[in-house]
Amino acid sequence: MSDRDRLLEGLRPAAFAIAYRMLGSVSDAEDVVQEALLRMDQALAGGEQISSSRAFLATITTRLAINELNSARVRRVRYVGDWLPEPILTDGDCDPARHAETAESLSLAMLALLENLSPEQRAVLLLHDVFEYPYQEIAEIIDKSEANVRQLASRARRYVQLHRPRFETTREHRDEFARRFFAAVGQGDLSGLEAFLAADVRLSGDGGGKVPALARSVQGRGRVAGTLASWMRLISRAPGISVRQVEVNGAPGAVMLDGRQQLLGVLALEICGGEVKSIMAIVNPDKLAHLGPVGNYRAIFKSAGWTPASQ
């Protein structure tokens, strides 16, 4: 491997960190990073003098991600059902989500919230508040004035703070709370489930029209608890289904597996103030393929007597 190849590979994780948070899609982020690295390689091969490789790649990655996000938003208007970000499993001691501010920016709840910002607002907020780029450098990256960048950051930050209040908790407390929650889900006990849920809890599902999923989000403690209990009654009729607690995007979650340990879905929790604020269920096989072999969702639930018409 040449020195240039080692340089590019060393920069890949930082570029992916930006692209994934911008796009909420692993596959789209990988495409953007690959194109950004290709352009940087061409620049280096052409003898271009690059004072900061990190800044150069961040500029290309961010601009490509903004363009991709504009295109993706058009596609998401036609998306079947709720669109949720693609999950990544972040169990492991070396994961960057161990840092509090990085974990916060990585969570599915935060990525879903960022969907409501303009691409430029999203880029500015992430580059400054997560990756600690100075406003002057961000202005050069997105080709706007520093005053404009500061204004974009202020509006984005105000929106996020309004819609996502933060509650501090230890990792141990959070994980123990999630363990007890998933135990209650497994038991299908309505009153027990409701004790874990916020009054305005929201349950969202993303099947992408590929597999049965919620047609629209369900909100409210009673409705969400009832839906979860119904799901577990259904799962109990399907042979070999298991639910295993994992860390999803730096936050508590679980994976649903078939009898062959193939992936059927990912659940991600948002826990605030000792309550579950939101639950996201991603079952679209296209959004799970990067995590490993995906099971035959339709066949399994058909064997349990569940068809799309019975949702």
Side-chain angles (χ1 to χ4, degrees):
M1 181 181 289
S2 68
D3 290 342
R4 191 164 76 231
D5 289 338
R6 280 192 289 271
L7 170 65
L8 295 174
E9 282 305 304
L11 292 170
R12 183 185 292 273
F16 180 83
I18 293 173
Y20 174 68
R21 286 165 176 79
M22 280 290 294
L23 300 170
S25 165
V26 173
S27 55
D28 289 346
E30 289 175 341
D31 288 344
V32 161
V33 170
Q34 193 63 28
E35 176 64 22
L37 290 171
L38 176 61
R39 293 190 185 187
M40 184 170 180
D41 183 48
Q42 291 171 340
L44 291 170
E48 184 171 342
Q49 296 299 309
I50 299 175
S51 58
S52 170
S53 299
R54 172 179 174 272
F56 186 89
L57 187 59
T59 298
I60 301 174
T61 301
T62 301
R63 290 177 179 176
L64 288 172
I66 288 174
N67 291 339
E68 176 59 29
L69 189 55
N70 282 318
S71 299
R73 288 189 164 193
V74 175
R75 297 195 301 271
R76 290 170 192 175
V77 169
R78 302 189 297 270
Y79 195 80
V80 178
D82 287 336
W83 184 94
L84 297 177
E86 291 181 17
I88 55 176
L89 304 185
T90 50
D91 294 294
D93 293 337
C94 297
D95 193 86
R98 292 294 177 262
H99 302 289
E101 69 276 11
T102 307
E104 179 74 7
S105 73
L106 188 67
S107 74
L108 291 188
M110 175 60 80
L111 293 179
L113 182 60
L114 293 179
E115 284 292 304
N116 297 297
L117 302 178
S118 72
E120 289 79 12
Q121 286 176 327
R122 189 165 181 164
V124 169
L125 184 69
L126 290 170
L127 289 173
H128 185 269
D129 289 13
V130 176
F131 299 107
E132 300 181 342
Y133 282 80
Y135 286 122
Q136 182 179 359
E137 192 169 343
I138 297 172
E140 296 173 359
I141 289 174
I142 68 171
D143 195 25
K144 291 187 180 295
S145 69
E146 184 175 341
N148 198 342
V149 164
R150 288 180 180 274
Q151 187 177 55
L152 288 168
S154 178
R155 290 176 178 172
R157 198 175 295 117
R158 187 163 55 246
Y159 179 85
V160 169
Q161 291 171 349
L162 178 64
H163 292 85
R164 189 171 168 77
R166 297 187 61 176
F167 296 89
E168 298 299 330
T169 186
T170 65
R171 177 182 177 81
E172 291 75 15
H173 181 272
R174 183 201 71 179
D175 290 348
E176 172 59 20
F177 179 92
R179 185 194 66 76
R180 291 188 288 113
F181 169 77
F182 284 118
V185 171
Q187 294 166 4
D189 175 23
L190 273 177
S191 60
L193 273 174
E194 290 183 358
F196 289 92
L197 304 175
D200 60 347
V201 62
R202 178 181 295 272
L203 171 63
S204 304
D206 182 346
K210 306 294 180 67
V211 296
L214 289 171
R216 61 186 63 84
S217 295
V218 175
Q219 188 164 11
R221 182 181 289 138
R223 295 184 64 199
V224 169
T227 301
L228 290 174
S230 296
W231 281 1
M232 291 313 299
R233 285 194 296 270
L234 177 68
I235 288 173
S236 67
R237 300 203 303 268
I241 301 295
S242 62
V243 177
R244 176 167 58 88
Q245 186 174 341
V246 296
E247 186 179 88
V248 180
N249 287 68
V255 291
M256 185 167 64
L257 305 166
D258 66 13
R260 300 170 61 189
Q261 296 299 291
Q262 293 180 320
L263 191 61
L264 296 173
V266 172
L267 295 175
L269 304 183
E270 180 186 19
I271 299 172
C272 296
E275 297 177 315
V276 176
K277 185 73 173 176
S278 73
I279 306 169
M280 297 184 181
I282 299 96
V283 294
N284 182 346
D286 292 345
K287 294 189 175 185
L288 303 176
H290 64 280
L291 299 174
V294 179
N296 189 332
Y297 189 101
R298 286 183 177 274
I300 289 173
F301 281 92
K302 185 176 181 180
S303 70
W306 186 37
T307 63
S310 66
Q311 294 182 74

